Amino acid sequence: TETGFPSWLAELTGRTDWPAQWALAPFVSGTGIDLSDVPDIPIRSQGTCPSSDACAFDCTQCAASDDVSSCSGFAQTFDDGPASTTTNLINNLNTKATFFTLGQNIISYPDIYRATLAKGHLMASHTWSHPFLPSLTNEQIAGELQWSIWAMQAAGGHVPKWFRPPYGGIDNRVRAIVRKFGMRSVLWNYDTNDWKLAGGDITPEEIFSQATSWIAQGPGVVLEHDIVAQNVEVGIELASSYFTDLVTVNECVGDSEYQ
């Protein structure tokens, strides 16, 4: 069942419904978010890079001092849910993972969101509708963050502390806005590329082979997805047969789960 539109949110926003799926969430001013001092870094499209001092992870793997891009243990992180496939994942994981959720999916699958939370997994933000954030205005970025946070509050009763930018699209302008919402950006140093499974461009065996080499290199943040059945099966196998010392993102750096 979809999450209804809570009365506290109607009062805050002056709206009566959630933003549309796959549409940019509108920024609601007057909510204590001041964008006047955001760094003046040019808007850019995906695949283009800013000047080097912008610290763009999607271009140069640059991470800021407060970003989480490595870990004291192995952290399985799953992007883009919740989805119907998430249920199989949480029913077969005996370890704790971090879920970077989309606001539009939270309101479509609030019961799965709450079930994931109830199993002790860490719930984190991944925007409302998965845009490439550096291509947006400051207000558009803020809107995507606002509505993701509000969806998490409506479904889970908490305010997220951890945020992952879609496509790894982040620079110092985006970071500055993320910080205004009290969140820390989470990147990764191990990418399973499990999204390529659906097109046959990578096999589960190739991912498992990668994981074996990562384990030899040392711990880190592992990028996975929970919205395709085959990805979920690979995630379950990685947790049960490959990774040990699995932790959540907040445990990577010894910080709290939520704000």
Side-chain angles (χ1 to χ4, degrees):
T1 57
E2 285 201 3
T3 287
F5 199 76
S7 57
W8 60 263
L9 192 53
E11 187 174 335
L12 183 64
T13 63
R15 291 173 58 106
T16 57
D17 56 0
W18 294 98
Q21 295 236 338
W22 302 116
L24 290 178
F27 176 56
V28 179
S29 59
T31 53
I33 301 298
D34 177 13
L35 300 173
S36 63
D37 60 349
V38 172
D40 186 19
I41 294 169
I43 291 172
R44 60 189 175 90
S45 58
Q46 195 168 358
T48 62
C49 293
S51 59
S52 58
D53 60 354
C55 192
F57 180 76
D58 54 294
C59 289
T60 63
Q61 304 292 292
C62 182
S65 60
D66 59 339
D67 291 348
V68 179
S69 57
S70 60
C71 190
S72 57
F74 276 99
Q76 278 191 297
T77 65
F78 294 94
D79 287 11
D80 298 348
S84 57
T85 44
T86 307
T87 300
N88 181 37
L89 179 60
I90 62 174
N91 285 345
N92 289 283
L93 278 185
N94 295 316
T95 50
K96 301 295 188 291
T98 304
F99 289 80
F100 290 94
T101 56
L102 294 176
Q104 63 178 23
N105 288 346
I106 295 169
I107 64 157
S108 295
Y109 298 100
D111 294 344
I112 296 176
Y113 183 94
R114 286 188 284 267
T116 308
L117 176 66
K119 286 182 176 288
H121 300 291
L122 178 63
M123 311 308 287
S125 168
H126 196 42
T127 71
W128 170 263
S129 67
H130 207 279
F132 182 71
L133 294 177
S135 71
L136 306 183
T137 66
N138 294 346
E139 289 75 16
Q140 287 171 326
I141 295 168
E144 281 287 310
L145 300 179
Q146 275 183 329
W147 286 96
S148 169
I149 291 168
W150 289 333
M152 294 178 73
Q153 284 184 278
H158 50 222
V159 177
K161 184 164 189 169
W162 309 97
F163 170 76
R164 173 169 285 157
Y167 313 104
I170 194 168
D171 52 32
N172 284 337
R173 180 173 70 95
V174 177
R175 280 187 187 88
I177 300 172
V178 171
R179 292 182 187 120
K180 288 181 179 293
F181 289 90
M183 295 190 294
R184 288 180 65 178
S185 299
V186 180
L187 305 169
W188 60 85
N189 57 329
Y190 294 131
D191 186 353
T192 61
N193 286 302
D194 61 352
W195 58 275
K196 294 181 178 180
L197 285 166
D201 296 318
I202 197 170
T203 65
E205 290 70 29
E206 287 172 316
I207 294 176
F208 300 145
S209 176
Q210 282 181 352
T212 300
S213 67
W214 295 341
I215 291 163
Q217 291 173 50
V221 181
V222 183
L223 176 61
E224 302 179 58
H225 297 80
D226 61 324
I227 57 167
V228 177
Q230 196 173 10
N231 297 8
V232 163
E233 293 295 340
V234 166
I236 293 167
E237 180 66 15
L238 286 173
S240 62
S241 301
Y242 289 86
F243 295 128
T244 57
D245 189 28
L246 280 163
V247 295
T248 53
V249 160
N250 66 297
E251 292 172 330
C252 285
V253 291
D255 207 340
S256 56
E257 295 180 296
Y258 303 97
Q259 292 190 48

